[in-house]
Structure formats: C-alpha cells, structure tokens
Amino acid sequence: MRLKDRFRKFLPVVVDVETAGFNAQTDALLEIACIPVLLNEQGVFYPGEAFNAHIEPFEGANLEPSALAFTGIDPNNPMRKAIAEDEKTALRRIFKGLKEVRRTEDCRQCVLIGHNAHFDLAFLNAAVLRTNNKSHNPFHNFSVFDTVTFALAFGQTVLARACKAAGLDFDGNDAHSALYDTQKTAELFCHILNHYPMLANAMHTEENKEDSTESSHK
C-alpha cells in the first residue's frame, strides 16, 4: 500500500504552532513546525523531514504576557530576531517544501495533524489570509486528524502523558517549542498507526462490495 491509498490521497502533516495568545486573528504567530508522515516499503509509518520557522510578530499583533511566560518565548531576544522570518516568507518556504513532498507521494492535498488540531489550523489559516498565501497553501481548509482523540487509546489527552504511556520519551524542558512538540506528536501518531491494526473491513469500497455479492451468487 502506498501513502496516497492509505489516506485517500491526503498527505498527513503534523503541525504545531507557538503563539502569543489564543486569538488567531489578533495574537502573534511566533513559531510553526510541520512534519509530513511517510510510509516505507515495509508498511511502517515514520516522520519525514521537518520544516519549521521562528516568525516575527505581524504588525499590530497582540503579545499576551501570560502566553509568552507560558511558552518562554521572548520575541525581542537578539538571537531569535537574527533568525526570525516574516510570516509571508516563512509560510512560502514551508509550503514549497510540503508541496514537493506531496507531489513525490502523488497526494492531492495536505491534511493537518495536531494535538488540539483546530487551534493550530486556526492560526495557520489566519496567517495565510494575512499574507495572501491562499493559492500557496497546501492544507485542507477544515479537515484535520487530532491526536488528542487518538491518544484516548492510552486513556490520555495531554501530549506528554500520551507519549509516556506509549513508551516514547518526552522532555518537559523542551516542550512548548513548535519543533519539539511537532516531533513528539509525529512520533505518537506514527506509533498509534504502526501498533493498532486496521479493522477487518478497512479500505472497503462499493466496488469490493459488488465483487463480494457477485461471488456469493456464483
């Protein structure tokens, strides 16, 4: 099975954002990381190459002090400012990389995977609109795969606890970095896919149903 067949021609991409608040329209997007999930010849899912960026707050963006204290991000740190990109440049670069992966895998669109995925998607979509990147955006506008739901397989909803329950390392000191959280979410997503088999009627289609019906009447 190829990746495009497993996800109906969607390329699953794990995304995490770090922000300066909870309002996608008014609060700054500070970090974003994206990791496509791939499938090897042995049928094992694994995280692909990461695309990530530190992002300069857009003009007029709100920087909520409590959010900055939570993430530990200082937008004015000279070392950060030296590598930060404006939103438009960062998104164009990341989208270009993802589109190359999508074409290689013969998928028609990316679908966002996230831990509380609609939060990440809201900030991504808001940034796309702000920067006029709609035509470059490879992601589906509203469909997501949410690892909070998948983590219920372990009786957990918190990413760190779900990773530990799955036997994956999770260093709390590195949490709230978009790249680290994306790597851990990708590992968790792949672990669940690789360890929980598909149901007996998986990949069912009407064509298969018709074939089965014809066979039963012969």
Side-chain angles (χ1 to χ4, degrees):
M1 183 186 299
R2 292 188 60 190
L3 187 69
K4 67 173 184 176
D5 302 315
R6 179 63 173 83
F7 294 105
R8 297 182 59 248
K9 299 204 79 172
F10 283 116
L11 173 68
V13 179
V14 182
V15 178
D16 186 74
V17 300
E18 297 299 332
T19 69
F22 296 105
N23 189 322
Q25 305 305 317
T26 61
D27 299 336
L29 172 63
L30 299 175
E31 293 183 10
I32 184 170
C34 302
I35 297 179
V37 170
L38 304 176
L39 184 66
N40 68 19
E41 294 180 355
Q42 290 70 45
V44 177
F45 292 95
Y46 66 97
E49 176 188 353
F51 303 93
N52 68 295
H54 297 273
I55 298 178
E56 299 169 356
F58 63 90
E59 186 176 353
N62 180 53
L63 301 172
E64 201 64 41
S66 59
L68 298 180
F70 180 73
T71 62
I73 297 173
D74 178 6
N76 296 314
N77 183 295
M79 293 182 65
R80 183 185 189 280
K81 288 176 76 69
I83 60 172
E85 301 171 79
D86 65 87
E87 281 187 325
K88 187 171 187 176
T89 300
L91 291 181
R92 289 275 177 96
R93 176 176 58 79
I94 291 172
F95 289 169
K96 181 180 179 182
L98 290 176
K99 283 185 176 181
E100 290 175 359
V101 178
R102 177 177 59 78
R103 291 192 187 101
T104 299
E105 296 297 332
D106 195 22
C107 292
R108 68 172 183 268
Q109 203 168 22
C110 298
V111 61
L112 185 148
I113 304 166
H115 208 72
N116 292 310
H118 283 289
F119 178 86
D120 302 285
L121 183 63
F123 272 88
L124 177 63
N125 284 342
V128 165
L129 289 176
R130 274 195 304 270
T131 58
N132 194 28
N133 262 316
K134 189 173 181 180
S135 63
H136 297 270
N137 183 11
F139 285 94
H140 194 285
N141 285 333
F142 55 84
S143 291
V144 298
F145 300 158
D146 199 321
T147 52
V148 170
T149 303
F150 294 129
L152 291 175
F154 300 104
Q156 302 292 340
T157 57
V158 176
L159 178 60
R161 293 179 180 179
C163 286
K164 290 177 180 178
L168 305 172
D169 293 332
F170 192 96
D171 189 342
N173 294 322
D174 291 325
H176 308 307
S177 152
L179 180 58
Y180 184 79
D181 286 356
T182 303
Q183 289 169 335
K184 293 291 115 177
T185 303
E187 289 177 19
L188 178 65
F189 185 71
C190 291
H191 177 89
I192 293 172
L193 289 176
N194 290 330
H195 286 80
Y196 289 81
M198 297 174 71
L199 298 175
N201 64 341
M203 312 303 291
H204 173 79
T205 64
E206 288 301 316
E207 183 179 339
N208 290 341
K209 183 178 179 181
E210 290 171 3
D211 291 344
S212 177
T213 302
E214 288 177 5
S215 298
S216 66
H217 284 77
K218 289 180 180 179

